[in-house]
Amino acid sequence: MNFKEKLKELSKKITDKKYINNLLIIFIVGIIILIATSIFNDNVSEKETNKRENKNEKSSTINFTEDYGQLLERRLENILSEIKGAGKVKVMITLEETSEKVPATNSNQSNEKTSEKDSQGGVRDINREDSNVEIATKGSDGSLIVLKEIEPNVKGVIVVAEGAFDMEVKEKLYQAVKTVLGVSGNRVEVYSSK
């Protein structure tokens, strides 16, 4: 009996319009809250992603010179240690300046020439030049479009090798560094290690 009575009460509540309206309002408010939190979370996660990307771009541009120099050092150490008799090799490279990025630009230039003669025989020439240069950007974030990056020049190189006490090995190391980096001899020093 209990079960039948509960079913009758539930069927009366379901048929009651006030009860149905209250349930409908609660359901709509719940959906609105879910949509609002979803939109808010998307905006927050999008902002965090943009912040991380900007931080990564800044750190990559700040460390480019350092990374480029370290990359050169590592590659040079690897190849120089392969020279017969060189043994363990350490390399230090200093760079003159930072890298240079050449941005893409849109430029417009116009020339206008006018020649006027007055009644007394005088001539007046007017030359007008207009130029407009705009740096090209991509996307809504406004980041530059880079055409090319000019790597920094090598200022000096020091090579320390176990086998550099032998003059023949020292000369091979010296010539190899000059050839690989394309620097003059006065920028390269080769020493023997302890």
Side-chain angles (χ1 to χ4, degrees):
M1 276 269 258
N2 252 348
F3 183 67
K4 286 183 179 181
E5 288 175 9
K6 287 185 181 180
L7 274 177
K8 284 182 183 179
E9 284 180 32
L10 185 61
S11 66
K12 284 180 185 177
K13 283 184 181 179
I14 291 175
T15 56
D16 186 20
K17 285 187 177 184
K18 202 173 195 181
Y19 182 74
I20 292 175
N21 285 341
N22 287 342
L23 280 177
L24 188 60
I25 289 172
I26 291 172
F27 181 71
I28 291 172
V29 168
I31 289 176
I32 290 172
I33 289 172
L34 286 174
I35 292 172
T37 56
S38 173
I39 291 172
F40 180 72
N41 284 340
D42 287 346
N43 287 341
V44 169
S45 64
E46 197 172 297
K47 286 179 184 177
E48 288 175 1
T49 303
N50 287 342
K51 284 180 182 178
R52 277 189 235 123
E53 287 175 358
N54 288 339
K55 199 180 267 187
N56 288 342
E57 284 180 15
K58 287 178 184 176
S59 66
S60 68
T61 52
I62 290 171
N63 293 331
F64 176 75
T65 303
E66 183 178 325
D67 292 343
Y68 177 68
Q70 289 174 350
L71 174 70
L72 286 177
E73 288 173 357
R74 233 183 358 261
R75 290 181 70 196
L76 199 55
E77 284 175 2
N78 289 339
I79 196 66
L80 292 178
S81 64
E82 296 295 320
I83 294 176
K84 183 178 180 181
K88 186 176 178 185
V89 177
K90 289 284 187 186
V91 176
M92 180 179 170
I93 297 176
T94 55
L95 304 173
E96 286 184 353
E97 68 266 342
T98 61
S99 65
E100 180 182 348
K101 294 181 180 181
V102 179
T105 58
N106 295 326
S107 59
N108 298 321
Q109 190 171 16
S110 63
N111 295 325
E112 185 179 318
K113 293 183 181 182
T114 307
S115 183
E116 298 177 352
K117 292 184 182 181
D118 61 12
S119 61
Q120 297 176 351
V123 177
R124 182 171 73 168
D125 290 326
I126 301 172
N127 291 327
R128 181 177 166 197
E129 290 185 21
D130 288 331
S131 64
N132 183 21
V133 178
E134 297 174 355
I135 296 177
T137 58
K138 65 179 173 182
S140 61
D141 63 350
S143 59
L144 293 176
I145 297 175
V146 178
L147 290 179
K148 67 177 178 177
E149 273 188 62
I150 301 172
E151 296 169 344
N153 294 325
V154 175
K155 187 175 184 179
V157 182
I158 294 177
V159 177
V160 179
E162 290 176 346
F165 61 87
D166 181 2
M167 292 307 285
E168 186 179 330
V169 172
K170 185 174 186 175
E171 182 63 24
K172 286 180 183 178
L173 293 169
Y174 177 76
Q175 291 298 329
V177 171
K178 285 186 357 180
T179 303
V180 168
L181 298 177
V183 295
S184 60
N186 63 337
R187 295 180 179 225
V188 179
E189 291 292 329
V190 179
Y191 300 102
S192 61
S193 62
K194 297 178 187 179

